Amino acid sequence: MKNLHSIMLDKEKCKGCTNCIKRCPTEAIRVRNSKARIIDQRCIDCGECIRTCPYHAKYAVTDSLEEINKFQYKVALPAPSFYAQFEVDDVNKLLYVLLDIGFDDVFEVAKAAEIVTHFTKQFILNNKSKKPIISSACPAVVRLIQTKFPDLIENILPIASPMEVAAYIAKKKIQREKRIEEGKIGVFFISPCAAKMTYVNSPLGFKRSYVDGVIAIKDVYGLVRSKLREIKDVKLLSIASGKGIGWAASGGESLALEIEEYVNVDGIHNVVKVLEEIENGRLKDIVYFEGLACSGGCVGGPLTVENPYVAKNRIKRLSSKLKDKEESFSWWTEEIINSFSLKLEDILFEKELETNPVLELDSDIERAMEKFEKLNNILSMLPGLDCGACGSPTCKTLAEDIVRGFANDTDCIFILRESIKELANKMVELSNKLPPSLERNDE
Amino acid sequence: MLIDLEFEIEPGNFILAGEASSKIKETLKKLGVKPEILKKVAIVSYEAEMNIVIHSIGGILKAIISKDKIEIIAQDSGPGIENIELAMKEGYSTAPEEIRNLGFGAGMGLPNMKKYSDYFEIDSQKGKGTRVYMVIYNK
């Protein structure tokens, strides 16, 4: 599986400490030569290492604002979490500022979220197969499942994410209204997260992405903030309701679906725990599972600026403020669906999600079994302290790395010490032995 | 070649419950067992483990993995099952109220184990204990 991840390491800043290797949910990082190294195929871009690194050596590669100038017509797709970054009472102001910083148009991902909600409701009604249905909105969670929970792939909702739907509609709309050809329209997602960047490079469930670039919220934050202060007149641009905006925080997606039997979980390690339970067949009564990699949901994304709890509260306030206009907003949803004659089939996955077999010891089961046996033997010799000094997150991972041929048992400082001790004893022993020519005669 | 995993299951310990089946799952993932097979083993081993935790006074959960099949054996000492036929009925449960309140003991354990395994055998003696033997073919 191609997995061009977008999280990178600034070698200058990395001290080679073990904070990130310990927190990575897929054990994708090792320390080698005093620097962290990310194993591409294992990384799911959850951003946990960005958050954990005390030296800020991890960062996500995203596009700069200048990139938009490559296109004739530039469209901003603000993520719902973008709204939570600023203390603004009117969403129109925020959208207007996006036009002010260089975009020609905006299309709210929150509106696309409402469209996705509309079709997800249809899907749930017709779905008779796997329960619970697992939300596909968080690409890090989808990749987590592909890597660690291959048996749950069939539970994943096979519907495009709001970002993708927004990009699709925006492109169609502009082609139709402005008569501009598709190649000249640049659609940019204003993103709270790194996983979306990866998604655009190698989409999940689709052959291509309609998004042309991903710009980090933090990279436009300062500019947007300063422009917000200057703003005088405002255009009516906002068409998303509180339900769509609510997607920014954990639970918002489920709430919009208006079903009772759902579970929403945020924070990648919590998501892992609940997926374990789903695997055990424990959450059968649950219809929908909304798992988000970041604590608090997208508002807690590694590319956001505002404190996630403050941001969550703002989303709640904005959502309830827009509530009394709900009817006119749902008119907008219908209008878009009808004018593009969108059907569920149009946003269903084009191709099946593959498993990412990087955790397998070998593709041949018999050889994998041999390696497993070897792994256990090695593990029994390791001290089990999970100190991380060898550069692998745990003793178990070191054992695995040894079996795979990426490490040696002497990488463990305890084994190394033991070997040195043996060697030292042997040296003492040898030094006491004299050649026969010099052998003293004590008699 | 065989991989033999054996876990002791503590009765009544809901904190540790599920750990043995998690380890079995983890092993199968390392071996690259197909998702469909993995799913079946996950469910039967978890249900078997939970039954020992809920109903027994202690027991073991075993997984014997070979190239072609996965055998799951759950053996416990405990009250045994008085009426196996009844116990195999969906929804029939002898779990006490407090355990049902925890969301367990819905009477689906044994029926699910039978449903998801390719071969199922149960042996129980009142006052002695229960042994469940299940096979899932790895094809």
Side-chain angles (χ1 to χ4, degrees), chain A residues 297-335:
Chain A
C298 302
V299 287
L303 308 182
T304 60
V305 176
E306 189 55 274
N307 171 298
Y309 304 99
V310 172
K312 197 168 181 173
N313 181 263
R314 278 200 197 133
I315 287 295
K316 218 168 85 189
R317 266 192 350 235
L318 271 179
S319 295
S320 59
K321 204 174 164 191
L322 293 172
K323 213 161 206 162
D324 43 330
K325 297 182 193 152
E326 215 62 72
E327 261 176 46
S328 64
F329 286 128
S330 69
W331 176 84
W332 262 110
T333 311
E334 270 170 48
E335 168 68 18

Side-chain angles (χ1 to χ4, degrees), chain B:
Chain B
M1 185 169 189
L2 287 177
I3 287 175
D4 211 325
L5 306 171
E6 188 176 319
F7 305 94
E8 220 167 284
I9 310 296
E10 247 184 72
N13 191 338
F14 284 90
I15 309 267
L16 295 181
E19 247 180 39
S21 27
S22 271
K23 283 183 181 145
I24 295 172
K25 264 191 313 197
E26 200 189 319
T27 306
L28 295 174
K29 284 177 190 174
K30 284 212 169 90
L31 299 179
V33 167
K34 279 199 224 92
E36 314 85 89
I37 310 291
L38 184 64
K39 184 162 242 161
K40 289 181 178 178
V41 180
I43 293 173
V44 307
S45 62
Y46 180 76
E47 294 286 9
E49 182 174 359
M50 289 317 294
N51 268 359
I52 300 178
V53 174
I54 298 168
H55 298 288
S56 83
I57 53 167
I60 52 159
L61 183 71
K62 270 178 86 141
I64 303 167
I65 306 163
S66 60
K67 191 187 163 199
D68 311 309
K69 61 176 194 263
I70 298 136
E71 295 160 273
I72 303 285
I73 301 143
Q75 180 143 29
D76 69 45
S77 334
I81 300 169
E82 205 167 345
N83 184 337
I84 293 182
E85 211 179 307
L86 205 54
M88 291 305 298
K89 275 203 181 126
E90 291 190 6
Y92 177 82
S93 173
T94 56
E97 191 64 31
E98 66 262 29
I99 282 168
R100 288 176 192 237
N101 287 343
L102 289 171
F104 299 103
M108 291 305 292
L110 286 171
N112 269 342
M113 285 186 241
K114 189 172 179 188
K115 185 174 159 193
Y116 289 101
S117 52
D118 297 320
Y119 177 81
F120 177 90
E121 191 186 285
I122 182 165
D123 213 349
S124 188
Q125 260 189 309
K126 202 172 180 276
K128 290 231 168 99
T130 304
R131 182 180 187 272
V132 185
Y133 173 73
M134 291 167 285
V135 181
I136 288 160
Y137 292 104
N138 184 26
K139 287 181 286 210

Side-chain angles (χ1 to χ4, degrees), chain A residues 378-396:
Chain A
I378 297 168
L379 191 59
S380 65
M381 293 184 318
L382 295 172
L385 292 176
D386 295 342
C387 68
C390 59
S392 300
T394 58
C395 291
K396 215 177 192 168

Side-chain angles (χ1 to χ4, degrees), chain A residues 352-371:
Chain A
E352 273 178 40
L353 292 169
E354 300 153 27
T355 61
N356 179 15
V358 285
L359 301 183
E360 277 178 30
L361 289 168
D362 203 291
S363 54
D364 176 78
I365 185 161
E366 280 188 323
R367 279 168 65 187
M369 286 169 83
E370 279 165 27
K371 285 183 182 173

